[in-house]
Amino acid sequence: MPEKLNNTKLWGEILKAIVDAMPEQLFPLFKEVYGKDYPKGTPITLLATEYSTYQEQPDAPPGSRLTDVTLLVNGTDYYHLECQMHNEQEMVIRMIAYDLHVAMQHTDYSNAWEPPI
């Protein structure tokens, strides 16, 4: 574990370790929350968790943000999980921003809709 791991990141690191070691343990959660029932052995792919961000200041270099867990189940269903111990108003905005990055990275634009001529 990193030497300077603070409380803010501790729960995310614990969640990552659990999902990395036993990803199928999330299946009951997905069934309860989303109504999706996956059989044992369903393929699970852990996705990248670092996404670049736009400059927040005009002279600042681009930055990056880290999600806790992003994964693809059965080759079709994307999930993004965050774990924290305190209520934070910005979390909803962060989740939307992360999910937008995931959607942009994993969308196949080759079948994009084209208006009729």
Side-chain angles (χ1 to χ4, degrees):
M1 218 177 244
E3 191 175 307
K4 292 185 177 183
L5 188 62
N6 60 30
N7 249 358
T8 305
K9 296 185 181 194
L10 176 63
W11 296 108
E13 291 299 319
I14 291 170
L15 178 63
K16 285 179 190 179
I18 291 169
V19 171
D20 189 45
M22 307 172 285
E24 287 184 353
Q25 295 300 311
L26 292 173
F27 288 176
L29 172 70
F30 297 153
K31 184 175 182 178
E32 180 68 27
V33 175
Y34 302 106
K36 298 288 285 194
D37 195 10
Y38 298 105
K40 188 174 183 174
T42 299
I44 301 167
T45 305
L46 297 174
L47 302 175
T49 57
E50 184 171 8
Y51 299 95
S52 62
T53 59
Y54 294 103
Q55 297 172 324
E56 295 181 15
Q57 303 285 330
D59 296 331
S64 65
R65 300 289 286 192
L66 293 172
T67 64
D68 286 348
V69 174
T70 308
L71 51 127
L72 175 62
V73 179
N74 203 30
T76 57
D77 303 325
Y78 292 91
Y79 294 95
H80 168 205
L81 305 172
E82 292 289 326
C83 184
Q84 67 182 48
M85 293 298 291
H86 64 280
N87 189 7
E88 178 188 350
Q89 293 178 345
E90 295 84 22
M91 184 169 189
V92 173
I93 301 302
R94 274 199 339 266
M95 296 277 297
I96 292 168
Y98 294 153
D99 294 343
L100 179 61
H101 284 285
V102 171
M104 289 170 42
Q105 187 174 22
H106 297 281
T107 297
D108 178 8
Y109 293 102
S110 65
N111 295 323
W113 179 81
E114 293 183 23
I117 298 176

